[in-house]
Amino acid sequence: MGRTDSTATSPGAPGGLLDGAPARSTAVTAVGADEPALRRLSRFAPAAAAYLLLVALLLAADTAPADIARYTFYAVWGVLLPGTLVFRALRRRPYTLVEDLVLGAATGLVLELGAWAVLMPLGLQKAAIAWPLLVVVPFAAVPGLRRHWRPRGYRRQSAGWSWSVAGVVALTSVYYYEVFLSRFPILPTSETTRQYGDLPYLLSLAGNATHQFPPTVPQAAGEPLHYHWFTFVHMAMGRLVGHVDLTVIEMRLMVPALAALGVLVTAVVAQRLSGRAWAGPVAAVLVFAVGEFTAVYPNNVSSWTFGAPAVRLMSFVSLSLTYSQPLLIALIGVVGDVLRRGRESGPSGRESGRDVPLLGRGAYVLTALFALASSAAKASSLPVTLAGLAFAGLMVLIGTRRIPWPIVGLGAIIGAAQLFATAVIFDFESYGLEVIPFGNVQQYWADPNHSRTAAVQAVVVAATLGAFLLNHQLKVVGMLPLMWRRRFNLEPVQWFLLGGAIAGPAAYLAVNGFNSSYFTIAGLPFGVLLSAWGYCESFERAALPRRARAALAVGVLVVAGVLTYLLYRHSDAWVRWAAGLLGDKPRSYGPLLPALVAAALLAAAAAVVGVLWWLTARAVPAMRRRGGIVLLTATLAVGLPGLGLDVLQARHVTWEGSWILPKTQVDAARWVRAHSAPTDVLATNSHCWQFDDYVFGPGCNNYRSHWLGAYSERSVLIEGWAYAPRLMATAGGAAATTAPFWDQDLFKLNEEAFRQPTADILRRLHDDHHVRYLVVQRKAGAESPDLARLAPKVFDNGRVAVYELA
């Protein structure tokens, strides 16, 4: 048990698709029972350092220590503990402690969904803090389950691996502090405080999930919520179990916590599937530190040429993406583990002790759990996963001429989860997405006047698709040397990853609508895992000495720093110069020119360096066969400037999606929350939210008022309806910002209660629609003087007044 395996290698298993697979380094050490206690504790130093750094950043961002402590309690008691116990019971043999804890945490996210689904219909929300006892008690009482409290046989990750992964976690924490935590208060502090536009809406969904089963649209009381709402159940459970205010969870705690889990899940899944420990940190860096290839600054909505960017920027404006990512990567991990079955077996059919042990039959149960949670965590997750499985099944069928029944079984499990979400959660709602091939990109090659020749048009089309690949897909190029060396004789798990990597961008190109860009983002983890795998193989083959490895790392940082500086200082001039290369006439593909020209210049520079390298290598043998790894590293890292540029943008440029959220409005909503029951309904005259301030009546073209439902955590009869599923389906998946409310009789009743109130109108609101409070937003129009005679005024801060219906 005490022997070190960190330098041991094992050959690929013989037979089938695995012939000729290169050796793998497991880079783990068996944990000995006689290890000194101090040394055992030192293994947790990287995790402790990353956690304490995050705590320090949260404190610096005015997060109350008590909230941090309560959320930590929730994460450990309500997610980590029950999830780890169940995961240990499902996996066959232990591998590393970090894997048990990380995949256990992902399992815990699934279990809390089940706990919520049981507690809510029974009205037992107050008992949510005790739900983990449903797992803890059996594991303490049943003899066969007690062993999972202290499993034996772990192998220890190397210190370098642990500190590297902890470093990526720390990097994400610092990034979120710079771009979000330190920039936006938990609650507005003035009348000009800015807030990301969608966050109040997302907060309202979480508040609704604390008392409504199933959740409904808070801004239209009783309207079904056919949406991927599992994220907001997670937030609600944080409130119910940890007793942390939802605003603190949303604005401080949830995003960095889930990002850290995403980093860790990526690292352990990359190691499990590739058999290479260092694929873990590489994959984590590619997912969380390397952004899109772009030559434009700032990275605002107007410069998003191919939909939403990857996880970094979207993490705090698309909470469903933040929540779904660790679940999706965990799903990839357990599906891939089933597909790699056989690779770890020697001639006797028994697993090699130096390889990553298989999860066993429990992987199918874990697949079902992660698929079910992913189904309504983000609607893009399972379609991409199913496409990856279908691709793997087809390639294995062609290669072996036998039906791959494990793939069929996995497809049936994931397909059932997709059917459940489509029928039960989404009610077959498409949100307006349509299959229109190249609908999202054809604007760049549009030629309405038919002024181009067929040859020129073909070049423009090819350049557009090339720009798309450059923008999103450079971080997956590590898969290319892997496929080349194996002559496309890939393992089933590699076909699966390749299929998912292709399916994501293919779905974006096939399905029209902004939200289809999430298919691209869903496909990136598949490609990144395969890319990290291929990069590690290439790095091993290069066999760089220590000084060369250090020089390569320093070179990457220098190149990233230089590109960051150039883009920050000279982006405007660069964009004008690139556009001027083809004349000053406006062109449909004009937004793509900066990136395309930058790519051409970088490729030319790489070619020159390559020639010089080849010439030098003739005289310096140590440089031979090592230029490829330098080029591959540079290509993977070319998106690194995005991280620094996001930080600079947060300091100097207002993000286009932020709106004014006045303190007085939030104060009024929170007063209502403190003086009402969860079942109470509110009515308001506030329906419109503009970027600068409130505009009402004919000037309102943005029916996205969400502040009252968000900060009161109550349902509103009619507030802002632009995100109602029935309307988004008519707007191609976008917000229906100008669409009228669908029930004009109810809308008229609502408005008359404020403008021309009568006793009968107020009685109908109270008796028929259960309205308790009328909330007047005076920027939308002052209430009628008659209202004070008909209902007592219970709150007034000048901007907002509240009247109670009895």
Side-chain angles (χ1 to χ4, degrees):
M1 290 291 290
R3 184 173 62 82
T4 298
D5 290 336
S6 59
T7 59
T9 60
S10 59
L17 293 173
L18 309 181
D19 290 339
R24 295 182 301 278
S25 173
T26 58
V28 293
T29 303
V31 178
D34 56 349
E35 186 178 25
L38 184 61
R39 187 174 179 182
R40 289 201 299 270
L41 289 176
S42 69
R43 302 202 310 267
F44 298 96
Y51 173 77
L52 292 175
L53 174 63
L54 177 55
V55 168
L57 295 172
L58 290 171
L59 293 173
D62 298 322
T63 313
D67 285 334
I68 299 174
R70 284 193 289 263
Y71 194 78
T72 301
F73 164 77
Y74 153 72
V76 174
W77 170 250
V79 177
L80 184 62
L81 177 60
T84 299
L85 290 173
V86 171
F87 175 75
R88 285 172 173 170
L90 291 174
R91 60 109 171 96
R92 183 167 60 185
R93 285 174 50 191
Y95 179 46
T96 65
L97 176 61
V98 67
E99 180 182 79
D100 269 13
L101 296 177
V102 169
L103 293 182
T107 306
L109 293 178
V110 184
L111 297 179
E112 74 174 0
L113 294 174
W116 177 86
V118 171
L119 294 171
M120 289 296 297
L122 299 176
L124 298 176
Q125 296 96 314
K126 293 183 179 180
I129 193 173
W131 88 260
L133 292 175
L134 297 176
V135 175
V136 170
V137 170
F139 275 81
V142 178
L145 297 176
R146 288 178 193 159
R147 61 187 176 88
H148 297 300
W149 288 93
R150 296 188 65 182
R152 301 180 181 275
Y154 282 134
R155 282 175 276 182
R156 185 175 66 246
Q157 299 283 12
S158 69
W161 188 96
S162 299
W163 282 108
S164 297
V165 175
V168 181
V169 172
L171 180 65
T172 63
S173 298
V174 172
Y175 170 79
Y176 289 126
Y177 175 80
E178 289 291 338
V179 301
F180 184 65
L181 303 180
S182 65
R183 306 295 166 191
F184 298 93
I186 297 173
L187 292 170
T189 56
S190 72
E191 295 302 281
T192 58
T193 298
R194 300 191 75 86
Q195 172 67 284
Y196 281 100
D198 285 353
L199 287 180
Y201 174 66
L202 303 180
L203 180 66
S204 73
L205 298 182
N208 187 268
T210 62
H211 57 80
Q212 187 74 37
F213 177 89
T216 57
V217 178
Q219 288 74 29
E223 179 72 6
L225 182 66
H226 304 310
Y227 185 65
H228 40 239
W229 45 258
F230 284 4
T231 306
F232 312 106
V233 171
H234 167 67
M235 295 173 66
M237 289 298 284
R239 162 77 174 274
L240 297 173
V241 176
H243 297 285
V244 183
D245 194 286
L246 283 175
T247 58
V248 180
I249 293 176
E250 180 183 58
M251 299 298 294
R252 291 295 181 268
L253 302 171
M254 174 182 172
V255 170
L258 287 176
L261 179 59
V263 170
L264 293 166
V265 172
T266 301
V268 299
V269 166
Q271 178 173 348
R272 168 163 286 277
L273 297 188
S274 70
R276 288 170 168 78
W278 283 100
V282 171
V285 167
L286 291 176
V287 172
F288 290 92
V290 177
E292 288 70 43
F293 177 78
T294 176
V296 177
Y297 172 83
N299 182 25
N300 252 324
V301 177
S302 58
S303 61
W304 290 357
T305 51
F306 297 108
V311 174
R312 295 172 300 104
L313 184 62
M314 295 305 296
S315 295
F316 45 85
V317 294
S318 177
L319 299 181
S320 57
L321 178 62
T322 310
Y323 171 75
S324 67
Q325 188 180 43
L327 290 170
L328 172 60
I329 298 173
L331 176 62
I332 295 171
V334 295
V335 169
D337 189 79
V338 173
L339 298 184
R340 75 184 184 93
R341 181 169 295 176
R343 189 184 74 192
E344 308 303 324
S345 301
S348 65
R350 303 183 63 181
E351 295 175 8
S352 170
R354 291 177 296 184
D355 287 330
V356 182
L358 291 166
L359 293 172
R361 295 183 181 275
Y364 288 96
V365 180
L366 290 168
T367 296
L369 291 175
F370 293 141
L372 183 63
S374 295
S375 66
K378 194 69 176 175
S380 53
S381 295
L382 292 194
V384 174
T385 306
L386 280 170
L389 268 176
F391 183 77
L394 176 62
M395 300 310 295
V396 172
L397 177 63
I398 293 173
T400 64
R401 298 183 181 180
R402 289 180 295 181
I403 297 176
W405 291 112
I407 294 179
V408 173
L410 291 168
I413 293 171
I414 297 174
Q418 179 64 61
L419 180 61
F420 162 78
T422 302
V424 178
I425 305 297
F426 306 144
D427 193 31
F428 299 99
E429 182 61 70
S430 68
Y431 271 77
L433 294 178
E434 297 179 89
V435 177
I436 302 177
F438 304 110
N440 290 314
V441 298
Q442 62 186 0
Q443 58 180 313
Y444 298 119
W445 65 60
D447 183 23
N449 297 323
H450 305 286
S451 59
R452 302 176 194 143
T453 65
V456 172
Q457 181 67 0
V459 170
V460 174
V461 171
T464 299
L465 298 178
F468 171 68
L469 295 177
L470 286 170
N471 183 253
H472 276 292
Q473 303 297 312
L474 275 183
K475 65 173 71 177
V476 307
V477 298
M479 69 172 66
L480 298 180
L482 181 145
M483 293 187 293
W484 176 259
R485 291 194 191 96
R486 301 193 180 205
R487 302 295 188 267
F488 286 89
N489 188 25
L490 302 182
E491 303 171 16
V493 63
Q494 293 168 338
W495 286 125
F496 168 60
L497 296 177
L498 179 60
I502 295 172
Y508 172 76
L509 294 174
V511 179
N512 189 50
F514 173 82
N515 286 330
S516 66
S517 59
Y518 290 107
F519 287 118
T520 305
I521 298 175
L524 280 174
F526 292 84
V528 162
L529 290 169
L530 193 58
S531 183
W533 190 339
Y535 180 80
C536 286
E537 279 196 7
S538 300
F539 198 88
E540 291 168 7
R541 289 177 178 272
L544 297 177
R546 179 169 304 199
R547 290 184 179 179
R549 294 198 297 268
L552 183 62
V554 171
V556 166
L557 295 178
V558 169
V559 170
V562 169
L563 291 176
T564 302
Y565 174 82
L566 292 175
L567 286 172
Y568 176 64
R569 290 295 184 186
H570 305 291
S571 177
D572 289 341
W574 169 257
V575 170
R576 289 194 300 269
W577 182 81
L581 290 176
L582 298 178
D584 297 330
K585 180 181 177 181
R587 302 173 188 277
S588 59
Y589 50 82
L592 308 181
L593 288 176
L596 287 170
V597 175
L601 292 178
L602 289 174
V608 171
V609 172
V611 172
L612 294 176
W613 187 287
W614 179 76
L615 293 173
T616 306
R618 299 180 66 180
V620 183
M623 296 179 64
R624 295 175 185 171
R625 297 185 179 181
R626 288 171 175 170
I629 193 63
V630 175
L631 177 61
L632 181 59
T633 304
T635 304
L636 291 173
V638 78
L640 278 174
L643 202 67
L645 291 174
D646 279 357
V647 172
L648 294 169
Q649 178 175 329
R651 293 179 178 178
H652 303 298
V653 181
T654 300
W655 198 73
E656 292 176 13
S658 60
W659 298 349
I660 286 178
L661 180 63
K663 178 179 185 297
T664 48
Q665 291 182 196
V666 174
D667 288 344
R670 288 174 71 84
W671 184 92
V672 171
R673 187 188 71 167
H675 295 82
S676 63
T679 54
D680 288 336
V681 178
L682 315 177
T684 185
N685 66 333
S686 177
H687 310 300
C688 186
W689 198 1
Q690 291 289 348
F691 285 94
D692 295 323
D693 205 351
Y694 200 92
V695 178
F696 184 73
C700 179
N701 61 357
N702 191 345
Y703 292 114
R704 283 193 283 183
S705 177
H706 302 132
W707 63 273
L708 181 56
Y711 292 95
S712 70
E713 299 177 20
R714 303 292 180 257
S715 292
V716 185
L717 184 64
I718 304 174
E719 190 183 1
W721 54 85
Y723 285 156
R726 69 164 74 196
L727 293 181
M728 292 187 70
T730 66
T737 55
T738 61
F741 189 71
W742 54 86
D743 187 340
Q744 283 297 299
D745 290 338
L746 180 61
F747 183 72
K748 180 180 179 182
L749 178 69
N750 182 90
E751 298 306 286
E752 287 180 344
F754 297 93
R755 298 179 184 177
Q756 299 173 328
T758 64
D760 181 63
I761 289 175
L762 300 188
R763 180 192 59 77
R764 290 170 60 191
L765 287 178
H766 180 272
D767 294 349
D768 298 344
H769 301 286
H770 311 290
V771 172
R772 180 177 178 186
Y773 289 113
L774 301 180
V775 181
V776 182
Q777 217 284 48
R778 289 187 174 130
K779 291 284 285 188
E783 71 274 28
S784 167
D786 295 335
L787 187 57
R789 294 188 299 99
L790 298 170
K793 185 193 299 183
V794 293
F795 179 90
D796 192 337
N797 63 10
R799 179 164 183 145
V800 180
V802 180
Y803 296 82
E804 184 173 13
L805 302 185

